[in-house]
């Protein structure tokens, strides 16, 4: 098994260039053109995660099913994850899963978990791994995720969360880290406003609301969007991101969201 994994990784790392393997040139060209290393890695991953009693029958079922996108996107608060996620969703019709939205849904529904989450978010702290992993696991098991694939937005945030996802079999094909200066993130956070009537979101500097006194008077700022909380959340992000990156080093791509969009 280790030799097989090493062979796949060697083909990937060398990009199957001429002379990089002992295979004939035409064989290397075939493997590259048909993306055989990606296919073999996908099949091996499915076997390890599912551990079927009948591997051949299981692989037959896997091969008859479409390979759906599995993507993670990470970045600091207000780092552009929502904007980039929308581009990916529009391009690949993949299911967007935002941990922030999952948590806010619990808060809005007034559940026991939601009340605990609300207090944690008001302090600018991270929600416990047990809570957020359970919410993500439930969402990832929905039919739309299984048929369309997933884009996991803003998660995992810690090494332990990344390891927990791997143990559950949720392993991405690509991991994007969005990079933006801290002061830019803080400016984006402080200026955010929400219209509770229409649901529209605005930014006082970059996407100002209509010049309507009634709309302006009812705009709200999220309780966790203060400058103090923004700095705390950004510091927490920086403390954890290096260890998260280490879990996905082979599929990591860094993107400066001030000047770039996520590559195709």
């Amino acid at each position: 098994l280790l030799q097989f994994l090493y062979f796949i990784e060697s083909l990937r790392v060398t990009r199957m260039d001429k002379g990089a393997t002992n295979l004939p040139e035409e064989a290397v060209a075939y493997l590259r053109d048909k993306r055989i290393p990606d296919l073999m890695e996908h099949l091996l991953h499915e076997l390890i995660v599912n551990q079927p009693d009948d591997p051949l029958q299981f692989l037959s079922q896997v091969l008859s099913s479409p390979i759906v996108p599995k993507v993670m996107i990470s970045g600091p608060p207000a780092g552009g994850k929502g904007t980039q996620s929308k581009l990916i969703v529009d391009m690949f019709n993949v299911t967007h899963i935002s941990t922030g939205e999952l948590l806010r849904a619990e808060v809005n529904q007034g559940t026991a978990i939601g009340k605990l989450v609300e207090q944690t978010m008001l302090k600018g702290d991270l929600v416990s791994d047990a809570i957020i992993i359970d919410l993500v696991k439930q969402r990832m098991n929905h039919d739309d995720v299984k048929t369309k694939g997933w884009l996991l937005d803003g998660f995992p945030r810690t090494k332990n969360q990344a390891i927990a996802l791997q143990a559950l079999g949720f392993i991405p094909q690509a991991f994007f880290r969005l990079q933006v200066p801290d002061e830019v993130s803080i400016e984006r956070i402080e200026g955010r406003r929400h219209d509770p009537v229409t649901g529209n979101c605005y930014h006082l500097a970059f996407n100002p609301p209509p010049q309507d006194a009634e709309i302006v008077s009812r705009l709200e700022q999220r309780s966790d969007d203060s400058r103090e909380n923004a700095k705390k959340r950004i510091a927490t992000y920086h403390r954890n991101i290096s260890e998260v990156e280490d879990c996905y080093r082979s599929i990591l791509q860094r993107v400066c969201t001030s000047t770039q969009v996520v590559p195709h």
Side-chain angles (χ1 to χ4, degrees), residues 97 102 106 113 130-146 168 170:
I97 301 175
L102 293 178
E106 294 292 322
I113 290 178
I131 290 176
I132 196 166
I133 289 171
D134 186 59
L135 291 175
V136 170
K137 179 183 177 181
Q138 291 179 41
R139 183 65 183 91
M140 296 280 262
N141 283 322
H142 288 192
D143 288 341
D144 61 334
V145 176
K146 295 178 180 179
L168 292 170
F170 302 127

Side-chain angles (χ1 to χ4, degrees), residues 42 65-71 94 145-150 173:
H42 170 68
S65 303
I67 298 178
V68 296
K70 300 175 182 178
V71 181
V94 66
V145 176
K146 295 178 180 179
T147 57
K148 296 167 57 178
W150 46 266
Q173 300 151 345

Side-chain angles (χ1 to χ4, degrees), residues 11 29 70 78 101 143 206 212 214 217 237 239 250:
L11 292 179
K70 300 175 182 178
E101 291 179 1
D143 288 341
F206 308 127
D212 183 306
E214 181 180 353
S217 65
Y237 167 79
R239 275 199 308 272
S250 64

